[in-house]
Amino acid sequence: MEGRNLVSWPAILGTLALVVLGLLAWELRWVLLVLFGAVVLAVALDVPVQVLMRRTPLHRPQALVVVVGLLILLGWELGFLLLPELVQQVATLNELLPQLLQRVGAFLSEIRGVGPIGSSLESSGGLSALQPLGSQLLGLAGGAANSSIQVLLMALLALLLCLDPQHHINLLIAATPRFYRPQGRRLLQQCRDALGGWLAGMTISAVSVFLLTWAGLAWLQVPLALLSGLVCGLLTFVPTIGPTVATLLPTALALVVSPELSLKVIVLRLILQNGEAFLLTPLLLSRTVNLLPTVALMAQLSLGALLGIPGVLLALPLVVVLQVLLQEVFVKEIMDRWTLSSSKT
């Protein structure tokens, strides 16, 4: 009996420790979210920094300063070129919103089953029905303004991590057992390579979608083509959900002109979306982690329900890292060895 009690105590203490760690992680979830966001930004910065270090005699601090300076200059130039037109298009969208609701309501009222919804949108009560939604959006904007400190802190942490990644890696490795440190170092490098490859591929894919959507909508003479193209490009970082939601804006704006134009917009977005999903993204991400659509969608829904919009944005980078860890640790070091040992017995 005493032997059994002695054997069971470590298991009980280990379970209690895991519960305490889980509760502590939940209480500090926003701190951990900022930290993981900083890691993602640091990896995104580290990709061009390493390219610059390989091709020039610059050391890491000088290369980081050059990359950050180029990003600031590029953002300034793009803002100078595109921001005035974007502001004007947002103001135009405000003016077009009542007409847009009426057109959408008239279109829906002709469809069996959703006629009452279309009639309510078409009537003047449709705008009053949107007032609670408007209040929620204002509250969301206020929350986004209050989170500016978190964004600045995330950027500062990312710069510090990118400035000296080796010492931070050594700190993590020191927390592992001695016999596992070489494997842990290799595992961290694999996570970094997978995350960096995913970020680079998705960035190229999002820029391509933005430019092609903008050009296509401008060619079709759809109102607010730049704004719609920018929304479609940004939502490319949210696969499965993002492209579908992004299509709603240009389709609705085209409906203000004519139903035929909205149909052309849907065809254009289907071509671009399928080209990006089945040609461009697999080509760009062929050397990194291949995410299953079901896994990506469930991760976005789960983290979105727990953490809101930041959880949706960081769901896929987290899945990229977890997929590498599961493949290398759970599958290769636990399940494969278990299968091998059971087959020998």
Side-chain angles (χ1 to χ4, degrees):
M1 293 295 293
E2 293 180 358
R4 291 183 181 179
N5 290 334
L6 290 175
V7 171
S8 62
W9 272 112
I12 294 174
L13 292 177
T15 304
L16 288 176
L18 288 177
V19 171
V20 171
L21 287 176
L23 293 174
L24 183 62
W26 177 251
E27 292 296 327
L28 298 176
R29 60 189 181 276
W30 289 108
V31 177
L32 297 177
L33 189 69
V34 170
L35 179 60
F36 182 71
V39 171
V40 174
L41 288 178
V43 172
L45 286 173
D46 191 57
V47 173
V49 165
Q50 288 199 359
V51 172
L52 197 60
M53 290 171 60
R54 285 195 298 265
R55 298 185 178 182
T56 64
L58 295 176
H59 297 290
R60 177 171 287 273
Q62 292 85 3
L64 180 60
V65 170
V66 171
V67 169
V68 172
L70 289 176
L71 289 175
I72 293 174
L73 182 61
L74 180 62
W76 178 270
E77 291 295 328
L78 288 177
F80 181 76
L81 291 175
L82 302 180
L83 191 59
E85 187 174 352
L86 278 175
V87 171
Q88 182 180 0
Q89 291 196 5
V90 170
T92 305
L93 179 62
N94 264 344
E95 298 174 0
L96 287 177
L97 189 58
Q99 184 181 357
L100 176 61
L101 290 175
Q102 291 179 359
R103 287 293 183 94
V104 173
F107 179 75
L108 292 178
S109 62
E110 298 177 359
I111 301 176
R112 181 177 299 178
V114 293
I117 300 176
S119 300
S120 63
L121 284 176
E122 192 176 4
S123 64
S124 58
L127 290 176
S128 61
L130 290 177
Q131 288 178 357
L133 177 62
S135 302
Q136 294 177 5
L137 291 177
L138 288 176
L140 180 63
N146 292 331
S147 64
S148 58
I149 296 178
Q150 294 180 352
V151 174
L152 291 176
L153 180 60
M154 188 184 300
L156 178 60
L157 286 174
L159 290 174
L160 294 175
L161 290 172
C162 189
L163 185 63
D164 190 8
Q166 196 58 47
H167 281 82
H168 294 90
I169 292 174
N170 293 337
L171 182 64
L172 288 177
I173 295 300
T176 60
R178 183 183 294 272
F179 69 90
Y180 196 76
R181 286 174 185 174
Q183 177 70 7
R185 192 176 296 275
R186 183 181 66 84
L187 194 60
L188 285 177
Q189 184 62 38
Q190 288 180 337
C191 291
R192 185 263 170 213
D193 292 340
L195 187 56
W198 182 83
L199 286 170
M202 290 304 298
T203 301
I204 297 174
S205 180
V207 172
S208 302
V209 169
F210 162 59
L211 294 176
L212 291 174
T213 304
W214 182 17
L217 294 177
W219 178 63
L220 292 175
Q221 297 183 351
V222 178
L224 313 184
L226 175 60
L227 179 62
S228 300
L230 183 61
V231 170
C232 293
L234 290 176
L235 289 181
T236 304
F237 283 98
V238 189
T240 309
I241 303 174
T244 303
V245 175
T247 305
L248 297 176
L249 178 61
T251 304
L253 291 171
L255 189 62
V256 175
V257 180
S258 67
E260 291 80 9
L261 184 58
S262 63
L263 182 60
K264 292 179 182 179
V265 170
I266 292 175
V267 172
L268 173 67
R269 283 292 300 155
L270 284 176
I271 294 173
L272 294 179
Q273 186 173 334
N274 285 292
E276 180 267 333
F278 297 107
L279 294 177
L280 183 60
T281 298
L283 180 64
L284 293 172
L285 301 182
S286 59
R287 296 185 179 181
T288 184
V289 177
N290 183 22
L291 294 180
L292 294 175
T294 51
V295 175
L297 181 59
M298 290 305 300
Q300 291 168 357
L301 292 177
S302 301
L303 288 182
L306 290 174
L307 301 172
I309 294 179
V312 175
L313 296 177
L314 294 177
L316 294 185
L318 182 60
V319 171
V320 169
V321 174
L322 289 179
Q323 191 162 327
V324 174
L325 294 177
L326 288 174
Q327 180 67 27
E328 296 296 324
V329 177
F330 182 74
V331 175
K332 292 184 179 180
E333 298 190 12
I334 297 178
M335 300 304 296
D336 288 353
R337 292 183 181 180
W338 187 14
T339 304
L340 183 61
S341 60
S342 61
S343 62
K344 288 181 179 180
T345 57

